[in-house]
């Protein structure tokens, strides 16, 4: 009889624990990401900045193709790339997504924003900026 009550207590305790975990894991904090400001780039080196909006992912295809080409040709610069999501505050005033920038010596040397027709429209100015 004691073992039956102990077993029943263990089941209730386990159910309460699992229920709590499920409820708490489904909680989100809206607005936390949108309040997050990513600090600006403070580097004299060339840095790639990519601005993305997950709501417009289909418009970013050419940018992703260009980023893959950049990764192959300029792996060191690609590793230093910063990605800004649309819901994050960005210090560069980008409001049109997608967008790609190259910064060097704290200045924007290439700025591409919005829909493009081909990855070559992105790669041409990027190659000029990243080439030694």
């Amino acid at each position: 009889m004691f073992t039956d009550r102990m077993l029943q207590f263990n089941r209730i305790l386990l159910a309460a624990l699992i229920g709590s975990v499920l409820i708490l894991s489904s909680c989100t904090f809206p607005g936390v990401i949108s309040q997050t400001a990513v600090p600006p780039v403070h580097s004299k080196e060339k840095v790639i900045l990519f601005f993305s909006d997950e709501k417009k992912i289909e418009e970013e295809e050419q940018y992703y193709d260009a980023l893959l080409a950049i990764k192959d040709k300029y792996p060191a610069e690609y590793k230093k790339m910063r990605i800004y999501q649309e819901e994050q505050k960005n210090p560069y005033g980008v409001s049109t997504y997608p967008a790609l920038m190259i910064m060097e010596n704290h200045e924007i040397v290439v700025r591409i924003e919005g829909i493009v027709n081909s990855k070559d429209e992105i790669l041409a100015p990027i190659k000029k900026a990243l080439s030694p």
Side-chain angles (χ1 to χ4, degrees), residues 90 92-95 99-102 108-113 125-126:
N90 71 72
Y92 305 102
V94 172
S95 60
L100 192 66
M101 293 180 172
I102 304 292
I108 299 169
V109 293
V110 173
R111 184 179 190 126
I112 303 164
E113 292 184 57
I126 298 293

Side-chain angles (χ1 to χ4, degrees), residues 36-127:
T36 306
V38 179
V41 175
H42 294 294
S43 174
K44 291 188 176 192
E45 298 177 329
K46 295 175 184 175
V47 179
I48 302 168
L49 308 172
F50 179 55
F51 301 84
S52 177
D53 181 356
E54 68 181 34
K55 296 174 198 143
K56 299 178 181 180
I57 198 86
E58 64 280 347
E59 296 173 7
E60 297 181 356
E61 180 181 353
Q62 303 302 333
Y63 284 83
Y64 292 132
D65 289 344
L67 287 171
L68 289 173
I70 291 167
K71 181 181 180 183
D72 289 341
K73 188 154 178 134
Y74 308 99
E77 287 80 4
Y78 183 83
K79 286 181 183 179
K80 294 182 280 185
M81 179 173 60
R82 293 230 182 138
I83 300 172
Y84 293 85
Q85 295 295 322
E86 188 274 331
E87 61 270 357
Q88 294 173 312
K89 294 179 181 177
N90 71 72
Y92 305 102
V94 172
S95 60
T96 304
Y97 294 84
L100 192 66
M101 293 180 172
I102 304 292
M103 299 226 18
E104 184 177 19
N105 292 325
H106 310 288
E107 291 186 21
I108 299 169
V109 293
V110 173
R111 184 179 190 126
I112 303 164
E113 292 184 57
I115 299 171
V116 294
N117 294 321
S118 71
K119 74 177 183 180
D120 293 329
E121 286 182 50
I122 300 168
L123 288 177
I126 298 293
K127 285 180 181 179

